Amino acid sequence: MSSNLPIGIFDSGIGGLTVASAIHQLLPKEELIYFGDTAHLPYGDKSPEAIKYFSLKIGKFLLDKQCKLIVIACNTASSLAYQDLVDFLGDQIPVINVIDPVVDYVVHQPELRSIGVIGTKATIKTDVYARKINAIKPQLVVKSLPTPLLAPMIEEGFFSNTISKTVINSYLSSPKLKTIDSLILACTHYPLIKPEIEEYYKKTVKIINTAEIVAQYVQQRLKDLDLLNATEPKRHQFYVSDYTPSFEKSTKLFFGEKIHLKQHNIWS
Ligand code: DGL
C-alpha cells in the first residue's frame, strides 16, 4: 500500500467533519475522502442492524476509492458497527473507531476516578465506554447519559445562545452525571459546544475532546504502518448520500472552512 493514498473517513452526516478537521490540522499532508450518510441521518435513533448495514456499504465505498485507512468518525457507528467492519474489511484495510483511542487516553490519566459520557441514545445504550474502560481499569467509575437533543440542536446552529445554554444545563445537571471529574464528548457534534460545557463546569471537570485524541491516534497508526504521506496532498473529496444546500452551508461550522459537497448514491 502506498503512503500517498487518501484516508477514508465516514459519519452519519456532516458532524464527522469535526474529526476530519482535527486530522487535517494535525496531518495537513494527508488527502481525505469523507462520506456523510445524510440520507440516513441520524444514526442515533436507528437499529443496530441498520447502522451495521450502512457502515459496511460505506466501508466498501471507501475501500473501492483506494483509501489506505478507514476512520469511523461517528460514535454511534463506532459503538455498533466497528467489529463488523473489521470482520468484513480488516484483512484489506486498517479500520479505526473513535472509541478505542479515547479509552486508551482515559485509562492513562492517573488523576481520573469518575468519568461521565454523553452521546446519542444508540451509543449510550451499548454501554461501550464503560465496558471498554472497566475491562482495563475496573476501579474507574463510568456514568453515561444519552443527550439526543444536542446533535440536532447544534446542526440547526443553536449553540452559544440562551436555548443551547438551557438544554446543556438541563442535561448536565442530571443526577446521573453527579460527582464526575471528567466528561467524554462521545458524539461528533459536541466539540462545537465544548466552550459552553466548560462554562457550565467552571473548570471543575476535565472535558475530553475525542476529535483531537482520534487525530493523534491516526497519526501514530500511520507512522507504525509506515504510511504517513510525505508528498503534497491532492484535493480532499467530500461526499454525501443526500445533498442539500443546508448541509453544505453547515459544513463550515464543522470543518472550519468552506467545503463543496458531492452527492453520491451508494445504496442502489
Ligand atoms: N454522528 C453521530 C454520533 O457521533 C451523531 C448524529 C447521529 O445521530 O447520526 O454519534
Side-chain angles (χ1 to χ4, degrees):
M1 198 180 286
S2 162
S3 60
N4 64 1
L5 293 173
I7 299 174
I9 304 175
F10 80 88
D11 177 43
S12 56
I14 50 171
L17 288 170
T18 54
V19 177
S21 166
I23 294 173
H24 173 61
Q25 302 290 326
L26 189 66
L27 302 169
K29 291 206 164 135
E30 299 297 335
E31 180 194 343
L32 309 180
I33 297 190
Y34 183 90
F35 189 92
D37 191 10
T38 48
H40 297 115
L41 184 80
Y43 279 10
D45 296 336
K46 299 281 184 303
S47 68
E49 292 70 30
I51 294 164
K52 285 175 189 174
Y53 176 74
F54 301 149
S55 300
L56 294 186
K57 278 268 194 189
I58 300 166
K60 178 76 172 58
F61 167 75
L62 294 172
L63 182 74
D64 291 345
K65 283 271 172 195
Q66 300 206 305
C67 293
K68 61 183 173 186
L69 175 88
I70 291 178
V71 181
I72 311 175
C74 178
N75 263 269
T76 308
S78 292
S79 305
L80 287 150
Y82 171 63
Q83 198 50 52
D84 290 67
L85 212 51
V86 170
D87 293 345
F88 182 52
L89 299 176
D91 56 345
Q92 299 171 75
I93 184 169
V95 182
I96 286 179
N97 65 62
V98 285
I99 296 168
D100 291 328
V102 176
V103 169
D104 186 56
Y105 172 84
V106 162
V107 298
H108 286 98
Q109 307 300 307
E111 77 281 11
L112 302 186
R113 302 268 179 280
S114 178
I115 301 154
V117 183
I118 53 172
T120 65
K121 282 188 213 163
T123 296
I124 299 303
K125 200 169 167 209
T126 63
D127 211 22
V128 61
Y129 282 90
R131 282 191 284 112
K132 290 196 172 196
I133 291 170
N134 289 146
I136 304 169
K137 260 195 170 179
Q139 69 272 32
L140 287 183
V141 177
V142 183
K143 301 179 171 188
S144 308
L145 181 76
T147 50
L149 274 184
L150 295 182
M153 177 188 86
I154 297 164
E155 214 152 286
E156 287 301 326
F158 284 93
F159 54 93
S160 306
N161 63 25
T162 50
I163 293 176
S164 61
K165 195 172 175 181
T166 308
V167 176
I168 291 166
N169 288 8
S170 157
Y171 277 136
L172 298 183
S173 59
S174 163
K176 283 196 177 163
L177 292 179
K178 235 174 152 189
T179 64
I180 54 169
D181 54 30
S182 49
L183 181 68
I184 298 174
L185 306 185
C187 177
T188 45
H189 293 53
Y190 300 173
L192 273 76
I193 52 167
K194 188 169 175 249
E196 287 174 88
I197 294 177
E198 278 170 340
E199 197 187 317
Y200 174 85
Y201 284 117
K202 309 233 177 306
K203 294 202 162 63
T204 57
V205 165
K206 182 182 170 92
I207 311 301
I208 300 171
N209 185 351
T210 54
E212 284 160 17
I213 295 170
V214 171
Q216 278 159 15
Y217 190 88
V218 168
Q219 181 182 43
Q220 189 57 50
R221 191 72 185 270
L222 288 177
K223 207 168 159 196
D224 293 345
L225 294 165
D226 206 14
L227 284 177
L228 275 171
N229 191 19
T231 59
E232 275 310 301
K234 291 189 234 98
R235 279 168 72 91
H236 303 321
Q237 299 170 55
F238 299 93
Y239 295 96
V240 285
S241 49
D242 186 31
Y243 175 89
T244 67
S246 146
F247 281 134
E248 185 155 281
K249 199 165 159 235
S250 303
T251 55
K252 193 161 190 282
L253 288 177
F254 293 96
F255 195 68
E257 46 188 271
K258 206 162 176 271
I259 281 174
H260 173 57
L261 295 177
K262 282 186 252 177
Q263 166 137 350
H264 186 81
N265 182 5
I266 58 171
W267 308 110
S268 51

